[in-house]
Amino acid sequence: MPNSPSIAGSHDAVALTDRTDDRPVYVIGGGPGGLAVAAALRARDVRAVVLEKSDRVGASWRGHYDRLHLHTTRRWSALPGLRIPRRFGRWVGRDDLVRYLEKYAEHHELEVVTGVEVTRVDRAPDGSGDWQLTATGGRVLRGRAVVVATGYNHTPRIPDWPGRDTFTGELLHAAQYRNRAPYADRDVLVVGIGNTGAEIAADLAEGDASRVRIAVRTPPHIVRRSTAGWPAQATGVLVRRLPVWLVDRAGAVLARITVPDLTAHGLPRPETGLYSRARQGAIPVQDVGLIDAVKTGAVAPVATVASFDKDTVILADGTRLTPDTVIAATGYDRALEPLLGHLDVLDARGRPLSHGARSPKQAPGLYFTGFTNPISGMLRELALDAERIAKRVARASR
């Protein structure tokens, strides 16, 4: 039998099959987004059942690399109804965030069911407008509404580079990286310069790796996590609704003041504006050591990967490298197609057509949270989305 975490309000998977007669709202995913929605619904006297496929809440956060800290402030990372403890510091670490999520579920007495994976979401066949969920173990669950909160970083993605299967070195996704210890005396190539790739490269550079390079397809915007005590997130919150061209222009001025020009070190300033890139899904890289590592040569930017040939990595500019390890910080897939692809609620890239309190027109009562990566901070937006979704669902229930 699947196990549940030792938190108030948890239930095992068997009990779940006997508790569906009152048509709860089902929340798929026990990460921050799912827990926040469930708490906001409970505050409005709407029963919510969180379905989590792993054995504990916050599963994806537990698997992140050891040195991870939030790039958003403690104050603006808290979920509805419970502050993050001050002792966790301004930039909350991975383990402390997991502790917070566990406490959050306990504090709000959330009904969390672990060990149950939802495999398909359908309209109830009787035309009532309810939703029917098919889950592991042959379970069929019925609810008045469904909130999908399976996460922005769901399924690790490694590009199908030509010759990838012939590579004789070590190839892993960034999701498998924990700390720099296993890479002492190794030549490591990190592929991808988003926040994860940049931080892993900086982490390796601070260790005993013999050489660290980072493959760059498009130079990123790099911002200081905090300047004179002012967090980058605060700027993101303030400018989010300003005209794109204005934020692009202001961002360029700020970058020239606060971030050194790394062109001579192989990392030129990007040609496209900061907010223009953010609107396309490319969030700025918050510096936690990359700038100094590139300036000192501890991390060497190189061209993006084109292909593999046995022990060799061939870059887009024709350079041939022979690293011991390649770490692909190449992102994740949302992996929503098996669950929802038949409902016509996803775009061509597999992303939800609607988000937050807006249900797709063709699927009223179906909500999505956590599938954007805003410059104002994902956890902050998850908290706001939770309140909006709960308000909409409660109104519909009345």
Side-chain angles (χ1 to χ4, degrees):
M1 180 188 302
N3 296 318
S4 296
S6 56
I7 58 176
S10 296
H11 301 272
D12 61 33
V14 171
L16 173 65
T17 61
D18 299 325
R19 294 176 56 84
T20 59
D21 54 337
D22 58 341
R23 299 164 49 250
V25 175
Y26 281 109
V27 181
I28 307 174
L35 297 180
V37 170
L41 285 167
R42 194 177 192 281
R44 290 168 171 80
D45 296 323
V46 176
R47 183 183 170 213
V49 177
V50 179
L51 305 176
E52 169 54 46
K53 69 177 181 179
S54 72
D55 62 347
R56 293 173 292 180
V57 299
S60 64
W61 285 94
R62 297 173 191 274
H64 286 310
Y65 47 92
D66 294 348
R67 81 176 252 165
L68 176 67
H69 284 71
L70 296 179
H71 293 164
T72 53
T73 65
R74 179 186 69 251
R75 175 188 173 191
W76 281 342
S77 299
L79 304 179
L82 185 66
R83 294 180 178 179
I84 298 177
R86 183 180 293 273
R87 68 179 183 276
F88 289 174
R90 192 182 198 192
W91 313 105
V92 180
R94 178 200 63 187
D95 292 346
D96 283 334
L97 182 65
V98 170
R99 294 186 186 100
Y100 170 71
L101 295 177
E102 292 174 337
K103 181 63 177 179
Y104 189 83
E106 179 182 355
H107 175 80
H108 288 290
E109 300 182 333
L110 300 183
E111 193 171 345
V112 180
V113 184
T114 60
V116 173
E117 181 177 6
V118 178
T119 56
R120 185 179 171 97
V121 176
D122 290 289
R123 274 295 190 190
D126 60 3
S128 63
D130 285 353
W131 289 91
Q132 179 173 290
L133 281 62
T134 304
T136 50
R139 300 177 183 87
V140 178
L141 311 172
R142 183 172 178 139
R144 70 182 77 174
V146 174
V147 182
V148 181
T150 50
Y152 189 82
N153 296 333
H154 187 273
T155 303
R157 180 181 67 246
I158 298 181
D160 189 18
W161 290 298
R164 187 185 75 179
D165 294 340
T166 72
F167 184 53
T168 56
E170 179 187 25
L171 172 62
L172 66 149
H173 191 273
Q176 299 169 267
Y177 181 88
R178 292 296 173 268
N179 56 64
R180 60 196 182 213
Y183 306 98
D185 301 318
R186 295 181 71 83
D187 183 331
V188 184
L189 173 65
V190 179
V191 184
I193 196 168
N195 277 292
T196 297
E199 187 156 0
I200 288 176
D203 191 39
L204 289 165
E206 294 170 10
D208 297 319
S210 63
R211 189 169 191 175
V212 182
R213 286 172 284 209
I214 187 164
V216 181
R217 181 177 60 184
T218 305
H221 285 274
I222 302 176
V223 299
R224 301 288 188 181
R225 186 169 66 175
S226 179
T227 303
W230 179 264
Q233 182 190 10
T235 302
V237 172
L238 290 175
V239 307
R240 191 177 180 199
R241 302 194 185 281
L242 294 178
V244 172
W245 67 267
L246 180 60
V247 180
D248 283 349
R249 189 169 298 176
V253 173
L254 183 62
R256 285 195 292 270
I257 297 172
T258 61
V259 178
D261 187 354
L262 300 173
T263 301
H265 301 279
L267 196 58
R269 296 191 190 277
E271 297 178 358
T272 308
L274 183 151
Y275 202 17
S276 294
R277 290 285 302 281
R279 293 286 289 270
Q280 297 166 3
I283 296 301
V285 171
Q286 294 205 23
D287 177 53
V288 289
L290 181 69
I291 291 175
D292 287 343
V294 170
K295 285 176 63 178
T296 61
V299 173
V302 297
T304 191
V305 171
S307 62
F308 289 76
D309 183 11
K310 298 180 181 178
D311 66 341
T312 301
V313 178
I314 304 169
L315 305 182
D317 62 2
T319 302
R320 300 174 72 89
L321 309 177
T322 54
D324 300 309
T325 300
V326 175
I327 300 175
T330 47
Y332 296 78
D333 291 322
R334 310 294 88 80
L336 292 171
E337 289 84 355
L339 188 69
L340 302 156
H342 57 288
L343 295 176
D344 195 28
V345 295
L346 307 176
D347 67 15
R349 296 174 59 184
R351 301 172 303 183
L353 293 172
S354 299
H355 198 267
R358 293 183 297 110
S359 292
K361 291 182 180 179
Q362 64 274 35
L366 178 65
Y367 302 91
F368 296 88
T369 184
F371 294 96
T372 62
N373 196 12
I375 62 173
S376 50
M378 180 176 287
L379 289 173
R380 177 181 182 273
E381 296 304 320
L382 286 176
L384 294 174
D385 271 351
E387 297 287 3
R388 294 167 185 148
I389 291 171
K391 183 177 181 180
R392 178 66 60 86
V393 172
R395 185 187 306 150
S397 299
R398 289 195 296 268

